[in-house]
Amino acid sequence: MNTKRNRIAGDVLVERLDELESQRNLTQREVSEAIGMPEQTYSNKKNRTGRSFTLKDMNALADFFNVSTDYLLGRTDTPWPDPWEEKEDK
């Protein structure tokens, strides 16, 4: 079950990264350089042929794209949710 949940979370993360790169007309090389990661490592992590993104990676990506880590992980659809907004019951 955890593996399936991790795979789904990884799918959302990759979709969000692709979307953010596209919106800003950035290449993987530009993103990887900005966060201090070799391009091949970034590509491998996105394609899940290498290790997963670490918390440090996630924070660097969120800072670079100016979004929350919750947005990158698919926990919210708003890049910077209002912390005072009431949460809807699901």
Side-chain angles (χ1 to χ4, degrees), residues 21-61:
E21 289 169 4
S22 177
Q23 287 173 349
R24 291 163 172 81
N25 295 314
L26 295 168
T27 64
Q28 285 189 11
R29 173 175 287 173
E30 292 168 323
V31 174
S32 65
E33 287 176 358
I35 64 169
M37 180 184 292
E39 181 183 4
Q40 190 61 53
T41 301
Y42 181 71
S43 176
N44 288 345
K45 288 182 178 202
K46 276 186 67 179
N47 295 320
R48 287 191 256 142
T49 57
R51 295 178 183 236
S52 299
F53 285 103
T54 65
L55 182 57
K56 181 180 174 183
D57 299 335
M58 297 293 297
N59 285 328
L61 288 163

Side-chain angles (χ1 to χ4, degrees), residues 61-90:
L61 288 163
D63 288 346
F64 175 71
F65 285 115
N66 195 31
V67 298
S68 69
T69 53
D70 280 347
Y71 176 76
L72 289 177
L73 293 171
R75 294 183 62 184
T76 181
D77 290 328
T78 307
W80 280 109
D82 182 352
W84 302 109
E85 186 178 298
E86 287 189 35
K87 297 190 187 313
E88 294 180 28
D89 291 333
K90 292 184 178 183

